[in-house]
Structures are given as structure tokens and as C-alpha cells.
Amino acid sequence: MKFRKKLSLSLMLIVMCFAVLAGCGGDSAAVKVKIGEVTRSVFYAPEYVALSQNFFKDEGLDVELQTIPGGDKTMTALLSGAIDVALVGSETSIYVYQQGADDPVINFAQLTQRDGTFLFARTPDSNFSWDKVKGSTFLGQRQGGMPQMAGAFTLLNKGIDTAKDLTLIQNIDFANIAGAFASGTGDYVQLFEPQASIFESEGRGQVVASFGVESGYLPYTVFMSKESYISKNNDTVQKFTNAIQRAQLWVKDHSAEEIADAVMLYFDKTDRNIVVSAISRYKEQDTYALNPVIDDKEWNNLLDVIDNAGELKERVPSGKIVNNTFAEKAESSIK
């Protein structure tokens, strides 16, 4: 009888131990992080790779991704606490800083290092030169956003005055630009991928130049958080950045076809060949950052682009709203 009691007690203790261990492992222990991305785009392929290849999960993070169209709306969600991390153009953090925010938004991990738009011509032109844009109707991006500013910066460097040399249309919402061009508006349009590849496959024209190549390297799209969130969640931010570094290296070492297969879950309504074409175009021009570090040369080029657009009140030193601590640690420790 005593043996049975001891056996029963032992079994109960074993069961309790397994229950405790089960409670300590798995997703139940993962730290929840809510990301808000400004748009769903192949331009952000490394982000989707970090999710599909479980790089966030391996770091002990439970990441919830939502798309919040528009930089202003994404930033509002971040400032209000509706999301923890925003993936958006770094110019938005500058705008918040210029407004004198008590809790500034800090850039901590760069995802893309070039503008992601292309100059798309309605009439295919194998001998394109920038002077052909003069006298045309140009369907551009929303004023004050990075695509528009990178576009204006490029046109200026090509000797094109948008006020005198062409008819510029930029009063169409981002989501409706492609539709406007498809319906006959404009001789040229500034497009992201995969829309550019879709239009090429439909015979609507041809990509003739890259604003990303022409405007140079800059911290175009960056993961950012409020300073208060980062100070309270240093470990979480480091793990997050580690996952991004792993994803960036994965993208670097894999083909456009392999990357497409890894991200198709997020583009289930887009033809795989189009996704492959878009990723290939971005890889060929070094659009995807190879590490999360934002260097001073890139930051100063960004300031030049914003200043040219008349949207910069003062040149904000990177040290004010860039924290490379996490990115540098991730770059040095993950190979």
C-alpha cells in the first residue's frame, strides 16, 4: 500500500513537472511584437523572409504584421501605441522630430537602401534618354513622400525642371496611380514593383530607368520605434534586429526564384513569375540592404533628397534619431 502511494505521488510530481516545462516553452513564452508596414510590397521581401523562415520565431518573438496604407497613418499608429514597430520611410521620423516630439521616433534597422520606383514609359524605348521626358505628361507620386522626393531629386540632377519642362501630375492617391496610367493618363509614370512587371507583361509599356539607381544609396525604408519603447525593450529590439540581419543575409545568398517561393504566402494573388521578375530587378540594383546599419553617408544623401523637395526645416544629425547599436551588434554576431 505504501509503495502504491509513493508511486502515485511520484507520477503526480512527474506530470506536474511536464506541465511546468510545457508552460515555459513554445509560443506561450514568445514576446509579442506588432509591426505596421506602410504597404504590402515585394520591395520589403526580407521582412517576409524573416517571417516565413521563422527567424523572428527563432529569436523568441511572436510577430504580428499588419499593413497600414500611407506613411502618415502608419506613423499615427506608432505614436498612439497601436503598433510597436513601424516599417516606413525614414523621412517620417524626421517629420516627427521637426515637430518637437517629446518621445521621438528612432530608426534602428534599415531594410531597403535605394528608392524602389522605376520610370515606366507608355511607349517602349530601347534608346531612352532622360531628355525625352521633357515636354511629356509625368504621373508622379504624392508630394512629401520619399518616392516623389527621390523622383524630383533625380529629375533635377538630369536637368529637368518639373515646373517648366513637363506637365506633372501628383494629386492622385498612391493606390490609384497605376489605375490612372492604365486608363490613359500620362506618358510616363513612377511605379513600384511588382506593378511595373505586371504592366510590362500586359504590354502597357516598359521600364526605361530606375529612380533607385539614379538617387543613390539612402535609408529608404527602416524599422523604427518610439524612443520610450526601445528604452524599455532593449532585448526585444535586439532580437528583432537579429532576425532582420538573418533575413538580409538569406536574401543575399538565395536566387530570386527561391526568395519568391519564400514570400509567395504574402502575395497569393500575384503571379509567381511577376514576383520573381520584381525581386530580380531589386536584387540586381542592390535595393535590399545587406545589413541593418544606417551609415552617415546614406543619411546625408537622404537629407539632400528631402532638402531638395523643400520638406526639411533643418539637417537632423543621424545621432538624434538613429540608433545603430542593435544593427551593429547584429551585423558583427550574425554571419
Side-chain angles (χ1 to χ4, degrees):
M1 183 67 71
K2 289 182 179 180
F3 173 79
R4 289 179 183 176
K5 288 182 179 179
K6 288 182 179 179
L7 179 60
S8 297
L9 181 60
S10 296
L11 288 172
M12 287 176 64
L13 290 171
I14 291 172
V15 170
M16 289 173 66
C17 285
F18 274 115
V20 170
L21 289 172
C24 291
D27 293 339
S28 61
V31 177
K32 187 83 169 182
V33 179
K34 292 181 287 185
I35 306 177
E37 59 175 7
V38 68
T39 188
R40 176 60 50 86
S41 175
V42 177
F43 189 43
Y44 303 149
E47 175 191 36
Y48 311 124
V49 166
L51 288 161
S52 70
Q53 303 305 301
N54 293 323
F55 295 151
F56 286 123
K57 187 176 181 180
D58 291 345
E59 291 286 341
L61 303 180
D62 177 15
V63 169
E64 175 188 302
L65 177 64
Q66 56 182 298
T67 304
I68 309 173
D72 53 345
K73 293 179 181 177
T74 304
M75 188 54 63
T76 297
L78 181 65
L79 294 175
S80 68
I83 57 176
D84 304 311
V85 176
L87 177 63
V88 66
S90 50
E91 81 282 358
T92 57
S93 66
I94 293 175
Y95 296 157
V96 171
Y97 179 83
Q98 288 182 159
Q99 293 170 3
D102 294 328
D103 191 3
V105 173
I106 305 299
N107 301 271
F108 68 85
Q110 178 172 309
L111 191 74
T112 60
Q113 60 185 7
R114 286 191 187 275
D115 175 82
T117 61
F118 298 87
L119 181 64
F120 193 91
R122 187 176 297 281
T123 303
D125 186 353
S126 58
N127 295 308
F128 171 79
S129 60
W130 283 92
D131 61 340
K132 293 182 180 181
V133 177
K134 292 183 178 181
S136 70
T137 298
F138 182 87
L139 183 52
Q141 296 281 330
R142 177 184 61 83
Q143 187 170 359
M146 274 306 299
Q148 179 271 326
M149 292 190 289
F153 186 74
T154 296
L155 291 171
L156 178 66
N157 288 339
K158 296 299 180 180
I160 299 172
D161 185 336
T162 57
K164 300 177 181 179
D165 295 333
L166 49 74
T167 300
L168 178 62
I169 300 174
Q170 55 183 171
N171 60 350
I172 298 175
D173 289 340
F174 175 81
N176 299 322
I177 291 174
F181 185 78
S183 67
T185 302
D187 303 305
Y188 294 94
V189 62
Q190 187 177 356
L191 292 177
F192 277 96
E193 286 285 15
Q195 191 62 58
S197 289
I198 291 173
F199 274 4
E200 283 185 329
S201 70
E202 294 174 345
R204 297 184 184 276
Q206 176 190 20
V207 168
V208 293
S210 166
F211 287 105
V213 169
E214 298 296 344
S215 58
Y217 291 105
L218 70 170
Y220 196 87
T221 321
V222 178
F223 288 104
M224 57 188 74
S225 292
K226 291 189 294 185
E227 188 174 55
S228 59
Y229 178 86
I230 293 175
S231 65
K232 294 176 183 176
N233 299 277
N234 266 248
D235 188 52
T236 297
V237 175
Q238 185 62 65
K239 291 177 178 179
F240 187 100
T241 309
N242 291 347
I244 295 302
Q245 171 71 83
R246 291 178 64 189
Q248 289 170 326
L249 293 176
W250 195 97
V251 167
K252 172 181 174 290
D253 294 335
H254 288 75
S255 68
E257 290 79 7
E258 291 170 320
I259 299 168
D261 290 336
V263 306
M264 281 306 299
L265 172 66
Y266 301 93
F267 300 94
D268 56 347
K269 295 181 180 179
T270 305
D271 182 85
R272 180 181 178 277
N273 291 331
I274 294 295
V275 175
V276 171
S277 173
I279 292 173
S280 179
R281 190 166 268 156
Y282 281 138
K283 275 179 69 71
E284 287 172 1
Q285 65 178 39
D286 294 327
T287 297
Y288 304 125
L290 301 181
N291 60 68
V293 178
I294 302 169
D295 67 43
D296 285 340
K297 185 176 181 180
E298 291 175 320
W299 185 259
N300 287 325
N301 189 37
L302 170 72
L303 296 180
D304 289 342
V305 170
I306 300 174
D307 191 30
N308 174 70
E311 300 290 343
L312 193 66
K313 293 181 180 178
E314 61 175 305
R315 293 186 72 86
V316 183
S318 61
K320 295 288 186 180
I321 52 176
V322 172
N323 184 342
N324 274 321
T325 303
F326 307 101
E328 289 171 349
K329 185 175 181 180
E331 183 189 22
S332 64
S333 61
I334 298 171
K335 304 295 183 181

